[in-house]
Amino acid sequence: MVRRTQPVTMKDVAERAGVSQATVSLVLNNVRGSRVADATRDRVMGAVRDLGYSTNAFARSLRSGESGMIGFISDEVASSPFAGELLKGAQLLAWETGNVILGVDTFGDPGLEAAAVDTMLSYRVRGVVYASMFHRVVEVPEGLAGVPTVVVNAQDSAGRVPSVFPDEELGGYTATRHLVEAGHSRIAMINIQSPDSTLPAGIGRLAGYRRALDEAGIAERPDWVRYGTGIVEDGLALTTELMSASDRPTAIFCGNDRTAWGAYRALERLGLRTPQDCSIVGFDNHQMVAPYLDPGLTTLELPYEQMATTAVEILLSGAPDTAGAHPVECSLISRGSVTEAKVPA
């Protein structure tokens, strides 16, 4: 058998498939509106696989002015095991649409971020997804001013580009409403930040908690709204305070899953049980925490993958310069930490 030494060309593919080179080009470039029969398309792709043909991406970018790349600049998303779902969502849609992701984590280093922007420009990316590991307000780099850009898991402080982020208020409302529908009217909340914090997560989740109570005609108890920092130790300490009082709640909405983990520990130390003595709802659907607590934690899932998919869809729509907010719903993940409220004897 003679080993082929010359690279496979589009002409070779056309000959193997019995079609013209123009037809091969239409199929490989997925040209919209082209009337290539499915059977013909299948023959072309079969020839591509048989011959091991690959397109010359660099040459294609010179002809079209586009690299087929989408930039993905983030602080620590690619290296985070949880927010990495953002990168996954972007990659999947990019691949389905014939694009690839060029990703860089900057770790909050302004110099590295500037270099990342220069890299994106040098590769003539179709657009840039500017992502954050946690929901916050960000300043989009000036270097991206001429590049289609969408902010994801964050909000553009200047409001100049589209922002895709979790609907925190709806999530807080959904969590609290779930407890109300289980018959609870004595519902506390342990937030993940101080009252003067400007981070959208805590502000939105607290607003949703209050809206659900108000809609249900339940008066808010200021002493049942506690403020932590989102760590296990705060959940432990604040739940201990709440549940050690003679007048205590029957349910607690925790601002994140780590706080909920601390709440579980507090109940156990007090000789109480989840959910028999106190129902618990968390937020995040932290995959290293929520499914493994006993019982499993009912929580709201942050829509990382859907946010990234939405961001790439906006970029590929051809009209990403229209600024606007695009909140994405957080799904309720029901497990065993919520039960019906006990009816007073």
Side-chain angles (χ1 to χ4, degrees):
M1 180 177 178
V2 179
R3 183 181 298 274
R4 185 184 184 101
T5 58
Q6 296 298 318
V8 177
T9 67
M10 191 177 292
K11 180 181 178 181
D12 296 326
V13 174
E15 290 178 351
R16 171 66 70 91
V19 299
S20 68
Q21 290 187 53
T23 298
V24 174
S25 179
L26 290 173
V27 172
L28 294 181
N29 290 290
N30 199 25
V31 176
R32 294 179 181 177
S34 61
R35 297 181 179 180
V36 179
D38 290 342
T40 302
R41 188 180 300 275
D42 290 343
R43 286 207 314 277
V44 170
M45 294 310 297
V48 167
R49 289 191 296 271
D50 292 344
L51 296 174
Y53 176 76
S54 59
T55 58
N56 188 327
F58 179 69
R60 184 176 63 185
S61 71
L62 290 177
R63 293 193 302 270
S64 67
E66 290 186 349
S67 63
M69 292 184 179
I70 297 172
F72 191 99
I73 300 176
S74 56
D75 42 13
E76 297 183 57
V77 166
S79 56
S80 165
F82 313 114
E85 291 292 312
L86 283 171
L87 185 55
K88 175 185 175 184
Q91 286 177 327
L92 289 175
L93 183 56
W95 187 254
E96 289 174 4
T97 54
N99 297 282
V100 294
I101 293 293
L102 176 63
V104 179
D105 263 0
T106 65
F107 306 103
D109 183 333
L112 185 54
E113 181 172 90
V117 171
D118 287 342
T119 298
M120 301 301 168
L121 295 177
S122 70
Y123 275 96
R124 295 189 292 190
V125 294
R126 297 187 61 174
V128 170
V129 174
Y130 188 74
S132 173
M133 184 175 66
F134 64 94
H135 188 181
R136 59 193 176 100
V137 177
V138 298
E139 294 184 8
V140 178
E142 289 296 328
L144 293 176
V147 182
T149 302
V150 179
V151 169
V152 67
N153 202 33
Q155 298 181 46
D156 173 25
S157 61
R160 292 179 297 191
V161 302
S163 297
V164 183
F165 51 87
D167 194 331
E168 308 283 8
E169 181 173 344
L170 179 58
Y173 172 86
T174 300
T176 309
R177 184 68 192 172
H178 184 64
L179 292 169
V180 170
E181 290 175 348
H184 294 276
S185 59
R186 303 171 61 80
I187 306 170
M189 179 182 179
I190 302 176
N191 208 350
I192 55 175
Q193 57 202 51
S194 64
D196 58 352
S197 173
T198 59
L199 291 176
I203 293 172
R205 294 172 196 182
L206 177 59
Y209 163 80
R210 287 173 166 160
R211 178 159 67 93
L213 292 184
D214 182 66
E215 184 182 278
I218 301 171
E220 179 187 335
R221 292 268 303 258
D223 58 321
W224 282 358
V225 177
R226 302 299 177 97
Y227 297 90
T229 58
I231 61 176
V232 175
E233 289 75 11
D234 288 343
L236 173 59
L238 295 173
T239 300
T240 299
E241 292 176 9
L242 287 166
M243 299 303 294
S244 294
S246 56
D247 184 23
R248 66 193 190 193
T250 62
I252 302 174
F253 166 38
C254 296
N256 70 4
D257 291 349
R258 285 174 295 180
T259 300
W261 185 3
Y264 271 58
R265 291 177 57 190
L267 293 173
E268 184 178 0
R269 287 189 181 184
L270 293 169
L272 301 173
R273 297 172 299 165
T274 306
Q276 290 87 344
D277 297 300
C278 185
S279 290
I280 304 290
V281 175
F283 208 112
D284 289 349
N285 195 28
H286 194 308
Q287 289 302 306
M288 299 299 289
V289 175
Y292 299 108
L293 293 176
D294 185 18
L297 177 64
T298 294
T299 184
L300 274 293
E301 182 171 56
L302 286 171
Y304 289 125
E305 188 172 333
Q306 181 59 50
M307 287 190 292
T309 299
T310 300
V312 173
E313 286 174 345
I314 293 171
L315 281 179
L316 297 178
S317 69
D321 295 328
T322 303
H326 301 265
V328 180
E329 183 177 355
C330 303
S331 301
L332 178 72
I333 308 298
S334 182
R335 297 191 178 96
S337 65
V338 174
T339 191
E340 292 184 1
K342 293 180 180 179
V343 177

